[in-house]
Amino acid sequence: MSNRSALRQVMPAMFAHEGHWDGFYRHFSADGDLLDQHRTTTWCELPDSGPWSYIQHNKLFWEDGRTAEYEFGGALVGDRLVWDTDRFSGTGWQSHENTILLMLDRKDVPDSYYIELITLAPDGQSRARTWQWFLQGKAWKRTLCDEWRTG
């Protein structure tokens, strides 16, 4: 069975996220103070074959000229996508309401993890992503991502 066919059986909502997205990430402290913000372009691809069932490409842009690029793949194991990168490891799954959930342990920030909720708007042209960060077992910060489909 192809990667796409297997993914469609357990996470059909992922196919609505395939493609190119532009948006903004805003990171807030637990007290609500703005810690960081940047623009992003994201490309989500669902390859038919190979080691990954999901690949995400991110380009981040800050107003001061800094940039960063990341690419990471997730393998389908049972009914979950599984990631193990240099920065994080964890799993993603689809809820019954067609919402995507992720739980990711951060390798670049010891003793931290975040839970991400990705919700697609009914028209499929925008989405909201919310990350709840925990550090040493306590709420640490929140990230709000607002994105819209491009291309």
Side-chain angles (χ1 to χ4, degrees):
M1 178 182 303
S2 73
N3 286 350
R4 289 175 68 86
S5 295
L7 186 63
R8 191 176 301 278
Q9 286 185 354
V10 295
M11 294 180 72
M14 286 299 294
F15 288 82
H17 296 269
E18 188 174 27
H20 294 270
W21 299 86
D22 283 347
F24 291 94
Y25 285 23
R26 292 173 187 90
H27 302 276
F28 296 93
S29 73
D31 294 328
D33 297 324
L34 182 65
L35 301 172
D36 184 37
Q37 63 183 348
H38 53 275
R39 193 170 58 82
T40 182
T41 63
T42 301
W43 172 35
C44 302
E45 64 173 308
L46 307 173
D48 202 38
S49 61
W52 310 122
S53 297
Y54 174 86
I55 304 172
Q56 184 168 311
H57 310 265
N58 292 86
K59 293 181 182 178
L60 311 177
F61 307 91
W62 285 265
E63 286 186 14
D64 65 7
R66 288 179 295 139
T67 62
E69 290 188 39
Y70 301 104
E71 178 181 305
F72 49 89
L76 186 63
V77 178
D79 63 352
R80 292 185 180 231
L81 284 169
V82 176
W83 290 275
D84 191 6
T85 76
D86 59 335
R87 294 178 355 205
F88 63 85
S89 64
T91 64
W93 63 97
Q94 177 179 324
S95 77
H96 294 293
E97 294 79 28
N98 293 328
T99 296
I100 305 298
L101 299 163
L102 292 83
M103 182 155 181
L104 302 172
D105 293 315
R106 294 300 298 217
K107 295 178 180 178
D108 56 345
V109 181
D111 201 20
S112 72
Y113 67 93
Y114 67 89
I115 299 168
E116 180 174 355
L117 169 78
I118 307 170
T119 308
L120 192 66
D123 68 0
Q125 299 306 301
S126 64
R127 64 184 183 178
R129 298 166 55 193
T130 305
W131 305 356
Q132 304 291 330
W133 292 79
F134 294 86
L135 179 63
Q136 298 173 346
K138 294 185 169 72
W140 168 39
K141 66 179 179 177
R142 289 170 184 75
T143 300
L144 304 177
C145 309
D146 296 299
E147 296 174 303
W148 54 92
R149 189 179 297 281
T150 60

